[in-house]
Amino acid sequence: MDKAAIERAKEHFGRLLEAQMKRMEQVKSAPDWIDYAKIKPIKIGVIGGDGIGPYIAREARRVLEFMLRDEVKSGKVVIADIEGLTIENRAACMKPIPDDVLAEIKKHHVTLKGPTTTPRKGDPWPNIESCNVAVRKELDLFANVRPVRVPQQGIDWIFFRENTEDVYALGPFGIEVDEDIAIDFRLISAPGADRICRLAFEHASKNGRSRVTCVTKANVVKTTDGRFLENFYRIAKEYPGIEADDWYIDIMTAKLVDEKRRRDFQVIVLPNLYGDILTDEAAEFQGGVGTAGSANIGKQYAMFEAIHGSAPRMVKEGRAQYADPASMIRAASMLLSHVGFPEKGKSLEMALDICGQYEKKLVVTGRPTGATGAAFTDYLMETLQSPNLKQRWESYLKG
Ligand code: IPM
Ligand code: MG
């Protein structure tokens, strides 16, 4: 037995614990929720990212500028590009976010971010931490909020995925103990579980939802999932009017395809990795990850993004202009609601539904067989200006 390897692993583990205990202090002493109504100007940064990112970000920014034209004029809102969050720059400095870019991101209250390339072991890029994950950790964006709606099938879900812990917290810091054994760590904290569960229940109570479902694998992953679940039921007691129940991730994955049962789910709260997987599955019912937006919410900052990757192959094959900007524009609609313009967010959502799901005068296929992202965005902006947008949306909804 290699005793020295065990000692090295223990020391490594000790250092990880020290860092996490410091993080706990920060989480517990973090300032409360920012109030956008009191802020002028609200600073919005747009990040292009990698691959198709800059192409779809350009379209999303165009929509955002249109929606906020009055607020930009009055000085309530400022919209700016944040450059440099590219895989080339990240590889050059061997960091998931170059320091100058991170400083720039922190100067903005909220960011709208294009997809970024996430390297893995064996890729041509160095195996640095995912930039998405690093931004979430750096800005303490503890809630990943992902709505999925398919009105024709009665699906109206909203996922509250914990966003800073679980296997993601220590993802890049596993131990290669010796040539046989590799170990990664999974972390769930009480403050971390509490704040995501509370946000889910708050959402339910403010939006007339009657049920919150927690998803774990607490029968097997006893310590961490056990804690998450225990805290879920403790927070649930503060919301006696809302039904609280829990499912295991395996059967939950199956139930989402059960047409008779799935429409009963409403608000779903779950640890990070289960949330990552389940929200891709859920988005598929709505038309795929290309149709889903995602909000990364913290008390001070927020970042909005598509839930898909940077599709480098589309760029290599010269098809980037055919990439669908809908997911990023959906993220923009969540941004609008989050910073205090819920009506604008809702209009944008209705226009996206009309253009992408019902009317489909232009369809983006990702290839020259379909419309370009720019043409689709023109169509969307035309639809947004329609005087009877809401009636059109409601009539489609009724079928
Ligand atoms: C997501 C993505 C990221 C994640 C990747 C790119 C690291 O899949 O936002 O769901 O795993 O969180
Ligand atoms: Mg994912």
Side-chain angles (χ1 to χ4, degrees):
M1 199 187 296
D2 183 353
K3 286 260 168 65
I6 297 179
E7 283 314 308
R8 274 199 308 277
K10 280 190 195 164
E11 269 166 36
H12 179 108
F13 185 53
R15 283 194 297 275
L16 295 184
L17 284 182
E18 273 170 31
Q20 287 304 315
M21 284 176 176
K22 265 193 209 134
R23 186 177 71 85
M24 283 297 96
E25 291 311 314
Q26 282 163 6
V27 168
K28 286 195 268 190
S29 62
D32 210 5
W33 291 96
I34 184 170
D35 181 0
Y36 294 104
K38 291 194 185 129
I39 288 176
K40 192 176 174 187
I42 300 172
K43 292 185 183 164
I44 303 174
V46 181
I47 300 175
D50 302 311
I52 58 169
Y55 294 84
I56 61 174
R58 190 186 310 146
E59 302 310 325
R61 175 167 180 169
R62 198 148 69 88
V63 174
L64 207 54
E65 248 155 30
F66 173 72
M67 298 302 288
L68 291 171
R69 57 198 183 282
D70 294 337
E71 289 72 17
V72 168
K73 231 183 256 153
S74 77
K76 173 71 184 167
V77 168
V78 174
I79 305 173
D81 282 327
I82 299 176
E83 309 282 350
L85 195 63
T86 60
I87 184 68
E88 291 81 7
N89 287 350
R90 302 200 299 279
C93 67
M94 287 298 282
K95 282 185 172 175
I97 316 167
D99 293 340
D100 55 333
V101 179
L102 181 60
E104 204 49 41
I105 291 175
K106 285 186 172 168
K107 283 186 202 152
H108 294 78
H109 299 100
V110 292
T111 45
L112 181 62
K113 178 183 150 302
T116 41
T117 297
T118 299
R120 67 170 181 193
K121 201 170 181 178
D123 278 356
W125 295 111
N127 192 15
I128 38 182
E129 184 179 22
S130 151
C131 145
N132 299 32
V133 175
V135 173
R136 294 167 187 167
K137 286 186 196 168
E138 280 291 345
L139 307 182
D140 200 22
L141 308 177
F142 65 87
N144 196 320
V145 185
R146 297 182 164 179
V148 168
R149 284 184 300 112
V150 189
Q152 309 91 312
Q153 296 175 25
I155 294 178
D156 191 357
W157 300 323
I158 183 157
F159 293 86
F160 285 80
R161 165 185 172 192
E162 201 290 321
N163 212 22
T164 51
E165 301 197 339
D166 192 353
V167 292
Y168 285 77
L170 298 169
F173 309 115
I175 308 180
E176 310 256 9
V177 179
D178 60 17
E179 64 225 19
D180 294 330
I181 299 177
I183 292 191
D184 272 315
F185 298 101
R186 181 168 201 257
L187 177 150
I188 299 283
S189 73
D194 280 357
R195 61 185 182 173
I196 189 72
C197 291
R198 187 175 302 283
L199 200 63
F201 279 102
E202 275 299 303
H203 176 89
S205 87
K206 284 189 190 133
N207 292 276
R209 301 291 191 103
S210 57
R211 180 184 180 195
V212 180
T213 301
C214 181
V215 179
T216 68
K217 185 78 183 175
N219 52 342
V220 175
V221 190
K222 294 184 187 296
T223 311
T224 45
D225 274 349
R227 176 168 287 202
F228 195 91
L229 195 57
E230 203 177 288
N231 284 46
F232 167 78
Y233 279 118
R234 198 159 43 72
I235 301 284
K237 285 204 193 106
E238 296 174 28
Y239 299 84
I242 296 170
E243 182 195 345
D245 68 340
D246 78 278
W247 293 67
Y248 296 136
I249 181 66
D250 49 351
I251 189 64
M252 186 69 182
T253 311
K255 282 300 143 197
L256 288 197
V257 279
D258 178 341
E259 285 178 18
K260 284 202 277 308
R261 303 295 296 281
R262 66 180 178 199
R263 56 179 73 136
D264 298 336
F265 295 113
Q266 301 180 19
V267 179
I268 298 140
V269 63
L270 68 185
N272 208 338
L273 183 62
Y274 305 145
D276 177 44
I277 298 167
L278 208 63
T279 54
D280 268 18
E281 185 198 7
E284 200 62 29
F285 301 119
Q286 183 182 270
V289 290
T291 62
S294 136
N296 297 269
I297 310 259
K299 291 191 174 169
Q300 292 296 302
Y301 294 102
M303 184 257 283
F304 299 81
E305 61 185 346
I307 81 167
H308 57 74
S310 60
R313 205 172 62 194
M314 287 189 76
V315 182
K316 218 161 88 200
E317 292 173 4
R319 296 188 279 120
Q321 70 273 34
Y322 296 102
D324 192 347
S327 53
M328 206 167 159
I329 299 176
R330 233 173 243 284
S333 87
M334 297 179 83
L335 184 155
L336 288 169
S337 303
H338 184 73
V339 298
F341 309 109
E343 268 132 50
K344 292 180 198 285
K346 186 70 201 164
S347 305
L348 186 48
E349 218 176 86
M350 290 190 285
L352 279 162
D353 287 350
I354 293 173
C355 298
Q357 296 203 26
Y358 301 119
E359 197 182 78
K360 297 186 186 172
K361 274 194 193 151
L362 285 183
V363 178
V364 180
T365 61
R367 300 180 176 275
T369 51
T372 60
F376 178 81
T377 308
D378 288 341
Y379 166 40
L380 183 79
M381 304 234 285
E382 238 173 69
T383 307
L384 267 171
Q385 290 171 79
S386 146
N388 54 352
L389 179 73
K390 186 148 188 261
Q391 290 91 314
R392 271 168 77 185
W393 183 74
E394 278 168 353
S395 75
Y396 282 118
L397 213 61
K398 284 191 206 115

